[in-house]
Every structure is written in C-alpha cells, then in structure tokens.
Amino acid sequence: MRVPFINLKAQYEGLRGEMEEAIKEVLESQRFILGPKVRALEEALAHYIGVKEAIGVASGTDALVLSLMALGVGEGDEVITTPFTFFATAGAIMRVGARPVFVDIDPRTYNLDPSLLEERITPRAKVILPVHLFGQCADMGPILEVAERHGLKVVEDAAQAMGADYTVDSSPRRAGSMGHLGCFSFYPTKNLGGAGDGGLVVTGEEELAERVRLLRVHGAKRKYEHELVGINSRLDELQAAVLLAKLPHLEEWTAKRIAKAHRYDELFAEADHEALGIGLPVVEYRNRHVFHQYVIRVPHRDALRSHLQEVGVETEVYYPLPLHLQPCLQSLGYREGDFPQAEKAAREVLALPIHPELTAEEQEYVVEQIVQFLSEKPRWASPC
Ligand SMILES: *Cc1c(COP(=O)(O)O)cnc(C)c1O
C-alpha cells in the first residue's frame, strides 16, 4: 500500500468548482494587488482568530519579519525563541538584525519551556517569540506573565496552528490572538494553504496593524510618500481568492485531523506502544491541538523511516537539526549540548501522515508497519 504524507490533489478534487470560480473572478476583474479578496479574507480571518486586525502578507516568513519591524526590533536587540522550529523563526530575527536567544523545549509538547525563560532575559531582550509547533499552542499563560513582568513584547509564530486554542481563565483563546502580534503562513501544506506563498499578521492593537499595513507597501500611506522604510510584501488577490474558497472547510478539516490523531492514539495503544518505546503526542489540558503534524518519538528512528519508505509509507522528520546547530547560525556561539531536549527530539521525532483525506485503512497500515518493525528489533538493531 502507498500512503502519501499529504494529499493535496484529493483535497482539490472536492473543491475544484469553488476554487476555479474564485480564480476566474480575479482574472475577470484584473485586480491582482490588495483588492476586495484580500480585504474579505483579512476580515474573515480576523473574525475566525478573534482579533481586531488582520493583514495579508506575502509569506509566513514575512509575517514574522514585518511583526518584528513593526515593533522596532533591530540591531543590538535580542529575541527569545525556541531552537526546535522551522528555520524561518530564527531567520526572521536575523533578517531584522537582531539576535535569536534560544530556550530549550518542554519534551512533552516540543514547545518552548516557560520555566527556562526568565534566566535567558537580558537588558537587550525586546521580544519573546514562542512557536505553536505541530498545531499545539505553547504554554502562553506563563510566557505572557514573564513578558509582562519584564516589559517584553510577544510575537506568536502560529504558522502551524491556524484554529488551535489555548484556554486562559477558562476561556479559549485562538492561536495568534494572545501576544501583541500573531503570524500565520498559507504555504500550501499548512492547515489553511494557498496555491503558492502567503501569510498573515494579526493584532489587537490598531497602531501596530497600521504599521504592518504601511511596512508591507514600502511604508507609503499615500502613493510615493514614504513614512517608513518597509518592504514589498503583499498577499496576492489570487491567493486570497483561493484561501477564501477553502476557509469554509477549515473547521471540518481540523475536526478530521483531530479524529485521525485520536485513531492513531487508539491503534498505538492497542499495540502496546510503550513496550516498543513509542512516545505519542501529548495534548496539554489547556489546548485544542489542530494536528498540523502527528509526531511520535521512536527508537532507531532513521532505520524505521527507511523501512517505512520501502513499504510505501511516507514520513518526515521535523526537525533533524535544531537551529542552534545550523551552519549559518554558528556566529551566535551555541554548541552541541546547550539544549539537550531539542537535540534529543531532533534524534527521535517522526511525523506520520495526518491530512484530512487519510483513510482508516491507510492509518491501520502505517501503525502495523511501525509496530511490526519495532517488534522485530533484534533482527536489525545494532548491538548496544
Ligand atoms: C511554515 C512556517 C513558517 C514560514 O512560513 P512560510 O510561509 O513558508 O514563509 C514559519 N514558522 C513556522 C513554524 C512554520 O512552520
């Protein structure tokens, strides 16, 4: 059996009419930049996320860059974040001239561990940038508390967490709506993905929204009158049209992801996963995890992954090299051993197929293959 890691074609089959109609409308209008589709998407997503303001931008990476620019973060400033994330999180910090300061992760959730946060704060710190990895919010309660105590701003990297919730004082808050600014990506494989690159910045503060809106069009409030030195980073009308067509389906897709995650949990439990050394995703009680990824921990990860490839099961490793060990960030002075939990996760994690179109048979096959391989461990394992 072949189990693809993601199946965007299957999703498109069900949406063909709506998507083609949306694209056709834009073509007929010949309005490609900051027109009615972008405006409508911004409004719909501000409502969905529960924020006052949403600004469509060219990518999730640009959403991070523009957020940091809007806060005036630059040379000499420090931004505190996790080393276990996609490169763009740290790349955006470097891009504005600031320094990423890493804090190790909570091994249960793979998110920044707030209990390690305070000791990393120096007088140069400006922003805390938590990432809601794999679709589950970082522990925002204590993060916001520390930020407030030290006068720091909070920018959420919610690229993987569209629709995730974190409960504060018994009311659920959407990912992206808790910090000063929240950043999203519409990269095609994200939970809400476009037909190309796209991103979104959200905020509850009008002044910050105004700055991001200016910065995405070279800082010009009126044509050819530039108040800030910005960049060109707009969401295309065509992308907005595609995303508007997909948005009404997002909750249904999310429900399917969650149901499939539960099914994996069940199948692994039936196979006595603990005895095989398999660690399942942990959902903290405050969270609605939207399972952008379903990530397990396994022994002999790379050998298992090759075996799965051979039997037709596509998997991925997010992320094999933590950011503090990336070649281009060596000037920061970090060394192997600095963030043991992130480094351990990088060796053990394996992301399984979890898209909404995944079938029950495919899931059973995936678990069967993993369990079978790990049960036969003595046959192939290196002696240790
Ligand atoms: C996808 C992603 C980004 C970047 O988004 P792009 O739209 O690809 O630029 C940033 N951070 C995280 C955690 C992501 O997963």
Side-chain angles (χ1 to χ4, degrees):
M1 190 187 281
R2 286 204 50 74
V3 187
F5 190 70
I6 185 161
N7 194 348
L8 290 174
K9 274 195 183 161
Q11 188 187 71
Y12 175 57
E13 288 306 319
L15 289 176
R16 189 186 291 272
E18 293 151 74
M19 268 170 69
E20 288 177 358
E21 186 52 41
I23 288 172
K24 195 165 154 237
E25 256 179 63
V26 176
L27 288 176
E28 294 293 336
S29 79
Q30 287 292 303
R31 256 201 96 171
F32 298 116
I33 303 291
L34 299 184
K37 297 283 188 189
V38 169
R39 195 65 225 136
L41 181 74
E42 288 173 342
E43 274 170 23
L45 283 173
H47 178 75
Y48 179 77
I49 296 161
V51 284
K52 264 213 220 115
E53 306 273 355
I55 306 107
V57 300
S59 71
T61 305
D62 276 6
L64 291 164
V65 170
L66 287 162
S67 293
L68 294 172
M69 287 173 81
L71 292 171
V73 175
E75 208 75 41
D77 296 331
E78 292 180 349
V79 177
I80 303 170
T81 192
T82 162
F84 195 62
T85 172
F86 178 56
F87 179 77
T89 313
I93 298 167
M94 297 290 283
R95 188 51 45 224
V96 300
R99 180 189 163 85
V101 171
F102 296 119
V103 172
D104 208 356
I105 55 166
D106 176 342
R108 287 162 54 84
T109 60
Y110 307 105
N111 282 324
L112 186 155
D113 182 345
S115 72
L116 304 172
L117 195 51
E118 213 146 15
E119 64 199 56
R120 309 290 305 176
I121 297 174
T122 76
R124 287 182 297 279
K126 280 277 161 60
V127 170
I128 304 174
L129 205 174
V131 179
H132 306 318
L133 203 68
F134 303 145
Q136 170 165 236
C137 286
D139 194 4
M140 291 303 287
I143 291 172
L144 293 169
E145 220 174 271
V146 169
E148 186 160 333
R149 196 155 56 236
H150 292 268
L152 304 177
K153 302 290 184 187
V154 175
V155 175
E156 299 172 66
D157 183 341
Q160 302 187 1
M162 179 66 83
D165 290 330
Y166 176 93
T167 301
V168 194
D169 300 330
S170 65
S171 70
R173 301 279 308 268
R174 275 270 139 93
S177 72
M178 293 172 274
H180 296 84
L181 295 139
C183 302
F184 293 89
S185 165
F186 302 127
Y187 187 78
T189 59
K190 297 285 156 82
N191 287 24
L192 178 63
D197 278 310
L200 190 80
V201 177
V202 300
T203 178
E205 295 178 28
E206 269 165 46
E207 214 181 298
L208 282 174
E210 177 68 12
R211 283 178 73 82
V212 174
R213 272 205 184 91
L214 284 188
L215 288 166
R216 79 173 163 179
V217 290
H218 287 300
K221 198 174 246 169
R222 275 185 297 274
K223 250 189 180 178
Y224 309 123
E225 198 179 312
H226 300 268
E227 299 183 14
L228 301 166
V229 180
I231 56 177
N232 170 3
S233 182
R234 300 170 293 231
L235 181 68
D236 286 343
E237 278 289 283
L238 278 169
Q239 291 307 331
V242 167
L243 292 162
L244 273 171
K246 284 189 167 192
L247 184 57
H249 304 277
L250 179 63
E251 274 302 302
E252 179 201 326
W253 291 333
T254 300
K256 284 186 177 166
R257 284 175 183 273
I258 293 170
K260 283 164 212 295
H262 288 158
R263 183 63 184 142
Y264 268 138
D265 288 347
E266 261 172 31
L267 290 167
F268 279 118
E270 283 164 17
D272 199 6
H273 65 279
E274 275 171 15
L276 295 170
I278 301 171
L280 301 183
V282 175
V283 183
E284 292 294 352
Y285 73 97
R286 281 194 178 84
N287 282 320
R288 181 205 196 204
H289 191 325
V290 293
F291 289 97
H292 174 58
Q293 302 296 348
Y294 184 91
V295 173
I296 60 173
R297 281 188 197 255
V298 285
H300 315 287
R301 193 258 326 267
D302 295 335
L304 171 61
R305 188 164 183 235
S306 316
H307 169 76
L308 291 173
Q309 186 71 38
E310 277 168 32
V311 298
V313 176
E314 289 179 9
T315 59
E316 294 287 346
V317 172
Y318 301 119
Y319 295 90
L321 190 63
L323 298 190
H324 67 289
L325 302 177
Q326 292 291 341
C328 67
L329 297 180
Q330 285 317 290
S331 63
L332 297 174
Y334 290 108
R335 279 192 311 269
E336 194 156 355
D338 284 347
F339 305 108
Q341 293 302 344
E343 291 167 23
K344 187 167 188 283
R347 288 190 297 270
E348 296 179 351
V349 289
L350 187 66
L352 308 182
I354 184 79
H355 52 88
E357 300 78 19
L358 187 71
T359 68
E361 296 72 37
E362 287 173 329
Q363 282 199 283
E364 282 163 26
Y365 181 72
V366 171
V367 173
E368 206 176 277
Q369 290 301 323
I370 293 170
V371 166
Q372 192 179 347
F373 184 76
L374 291 178
S375 321
E376 289 171 12
K377 203 166 62 183
R379 184 169 54 79
W380 54 268
S382 55
C384 59

